C-alpha cells in the first residue's frame, strides 16, 4: 500500500477535454443528433478525449419556441439519455449535452446531462435564464449544481448565460470545481463573452473552462462560434472561429494549485461580505 507521504506527491491525471462546435439543429430530430454524437465520439476516442462537451439544447436546437420545446422534452433519464449512455460506455468518454428536460410535474427546463460510464447520468438545470427566448420556453433551475467528481477531478456545470455571472462561477469554484463545462448557444452581438468573459472567469477563479457554442443561423439568431478552452490563468488553450470544429486540450490539474498559490482570488474574496456590511 502506498503510504500517505508518497501518495500526496503523486500528480493527478490530467484529463483531455474537448468542445464540439456545430450548427444548431433545424429539424428537432433527436436521433440525428445522437448519430452525430456517435460520429464525434469516434474522433474524440481516437484522440484519447476524456470529457466531450456539446452545445446548449443540442438535441433539438435552441430557439425553437415553447410548443416545440414541450413537444420534444423528455425526462433526464429518457430515451435520448439511454442512447447517449450507451455511446459513453462504448467509447469510454464522459459526454455533456444540452436538451429540454421534462420533470414529473410537467415543468420544462433548459438542462444539460453529464453522462459518464463511471457515475451514470447527472443533470443540471440552467439557473440564469436569458431574455424572452429562455423565459418563454423554460422554467429556471433552482440551485447551482454541486461539482461532480470523476476519476479524482471535480467538474462544475453551467449553461450559457450562467457563466457570464461572476457570482455563479465563484460559487462553483468555492464548492471545489476544477473544470467548468459550459454548453452554450450564444449569438451576435455577444462575441465579447468568448473573447473576454470566459478567460476572465477562468483566471479569477483558478479553473479550467470548456465552452462549446454553435455557429451559423436558425430562424431567430446568428451564432458566432468561438468555442474556447481556457486554463486557470485565462490562457487560451484552444479556440475556434466559425464552422464545425472539435477543440481539444489537456487540463493539467496541478496548474490549479500552482495558480492559486500565486493568485488566490477564490479564498481572498471571502472578506468582501464583511467589508461592505452595514
Amino acid at each position: 500500500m502506498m503510504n500517505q507521504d508518497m501518495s500526496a506527491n503523486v500528480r493527478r491525471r490530467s484529463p483531455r477535454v474537448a468542445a464540439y462546435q456545430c450548427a444548431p439543429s433545424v429539424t428537432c430530430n433527436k436521433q440525428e443528433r445522437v448519430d452525430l454524437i456517435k460520429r464525434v465520439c469516434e474522433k474524440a476516442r481516437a484522440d484519447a478525449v476524456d470529457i466531450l462537451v456539446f452545445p446548449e439544447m443540442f438535441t433539438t436546437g435552441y430557439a425553437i419556441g415553447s410548443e416545440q420545446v414541450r413537444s420534444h422534452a423528455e425526462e433526464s433519464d429518457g430515451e435520448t439519455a439511454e442512447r447517449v449512455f450507451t455511446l459513453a460506455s462504448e467509447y469510454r468518454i464522459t459526454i455533456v449535452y444540452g436538451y429540454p428536460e421534462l420533470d414529473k410535474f410537467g415543468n420544462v427546463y433548459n438542462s444539460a446531462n453529464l453522462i459518464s460510464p463511471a457515475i451514470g447520468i447527472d443533470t443540471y438545470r440552467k439557473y440564469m435564464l436569458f431574455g424572452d427566448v429562455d423565459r418563454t420556453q423554460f422554467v429556471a433551475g433552482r440551485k447551482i449544481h454541486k461539482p461532480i467528481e470523476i476519476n479524482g477531478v471535480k467538474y462544475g456545470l453551467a449553461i450559457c448565460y450562467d457563466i457570464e455571472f461572476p457570482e455563479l462561477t465563484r460559487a462553483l469554484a468555492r464548492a471545489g470545481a476544477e473544470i467548468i463545462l459550459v454548453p452554450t448557444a450564444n449569438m451576435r452581438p455577444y462575441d465579447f463573452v468568448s473573447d473576454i468573459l470566459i478567460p476572465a472567469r477562468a483566471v479569477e477563479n483558478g479553473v479550467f473552462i470548456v465552452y462549446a457554442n454553435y455557429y451559423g443561423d436558425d430562424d431567430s439568431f446568428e451564432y458566432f462560434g468561438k468555442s474556447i478552452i481556457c486554463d486557470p490563468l485565462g490562457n487560451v488553450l484552444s479556440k475556434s472561429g466559425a464552422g464545425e470544429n472539435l477543440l481539444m486540450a489537456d487540463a493539467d490539474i496541478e496548474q490549479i494549485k500552482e495558480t492559486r498559490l500565486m493568485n488566490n482570488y477564490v479564498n481572498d474574496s471571502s472578506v468582501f461580505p464583511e467589508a461592505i456590511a452595514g
Side-chain angles (χ1 to χ4, degrees):
M1 180 180 293
M2 186 178 293
N3 66 45
Q4 186 172 4
D5 291 338
M6 289 179 62
S7 62
N9 293 324
V10 172
R11 290 175 67 90
R12 285 187 292 161
R13 180 171 175 270
S14 296
R16 178 163 289 181
V17 297
Y20 177 62
Q21 178 173 291
C22 63
S25 173
V26 295
T27 63
C28 296
N29 187 320
K30 290 182 280 187
Q31 184 55 54
E32 285 183 356
R33 300 305 260 186
V34 172
D35 292 342
L36 179 54
I37 290 176
K38 178 179 176 64
R39 293 197 296 274
V40 177
C41 280
E42 289 173 353
K43 166 64 176 170
R45 184 67 264 164
D47 289 311
V49 167
D50 298 292
I51 306 286
L52 175 56
V53 184
F54 291 84
E56 178 181 12
M57 289 285 287
F58 174 78
T59 61
T60 61
Y62 172 58
I64 60 175
S66 57
E67 290 186 8
Q68 283 277 67
V69 163
R70 181 165 292 278
S71 173
H72 293 287
E74 48 185 316
E75 295 179 353
S76 60
D77 58 353
E79 184 177 0
T80 299
E82 291 179 357
R83 291 172 176 170
V84 175
F85 181 78
T86 297
L87 295 175
S89 300
E90 177 182 354
Y91 291 99
R92 303 185 305 282
I93 294 176
T94 295
I95 300 168
V96 179
Y97 67 94
Y99 71 104
E101 180 203 353
L102 181 68
D103 75 4
K104 63 182 180 180
F105 303 107
N107 297 311
V108 179
Y109 299 90
N110 182 337
S111 293
N113 268 355
L114 181 150
I115 298 184
S116 168
I119 67 163
I121 301 170
D122 208 321
T123 303
Y124 168 69
R125 296 167 174 169
K126 189 174 184 179
Y127 190 80
M128 298 298 299
L129 298 184
F130 174 76
D132 291 339
V133 175
D134 263 351
R135 295 186 183 112
T136 57
Q137 294 186 154
F138 307 108
V139 174
R142 295 185 177 180
K143 61 181 180 180
I144 299 171
H145 200 287
K146 180 180 178 181
I148 304 154
E149 185 169 334
I150 303 172
N151 297 326
V153 178
K154 292 183 178 180
Y155 296 89
L157 289 172
I159 298 175
C160 199
Y161 197 41
D162 288 335
I163 200 70
E164 299 176 34
F165 290 84
E167 299 88 350
L168 190 146
T169 316
R170 178 58 49 81
L172 286 172
R174 282 183 171 169
E178 296 165 305
I179 302 176
I180 299 178
L181 310 173
V182 190
T184 191
N186 208 347
M187 67 290 290
R188 299 194 188 282
Y190 303 108
D191 305 53
F192 63 83
V193 175
S194 181
D195 295 338
I196 300 171
L197 293 188
I198 299 304
R201 292 294 93 84
V203 72
E204 70 193 8
N205 292 289
V207 295
F208 290 89
I209 297 181
V210 183
Y211 185 82
N213 195 20
Y214 291 124
Y215 76 90
D217 304 332
D218 58 20
D219 290 339
S220 300
F221 299 116
E222 178 188 358
Y223 302 96
F224 57 75
K226 294 188 178 182
S227 298
I228 186 172
I229 302 173
C230 286
D231 75 5
L233 285 173
N235 297 313
V236 177
L237 301 180
S238 186
K239 188 174 183 180
S240 181
E244 182 181 13
N245 205 346
L246 179 62
L247 287 70
M248 292 175 279
D250 293 321
D252 182 357
I253 298 303
E254 292 299 314
Q255 187 184 356
I256 295 172
K257 185 195 318 181
E258 295 163 4
T259 298
R260 291 184 181 179
L261 285 174
M262 181 174 63
N263 295 317
N264 199 346
Y265 296 122
V266 174
N267 287 340
D268 290 347
S269 65
S270 63
V271 304
F272 284 109
E274 290 80 3
I276 64 175

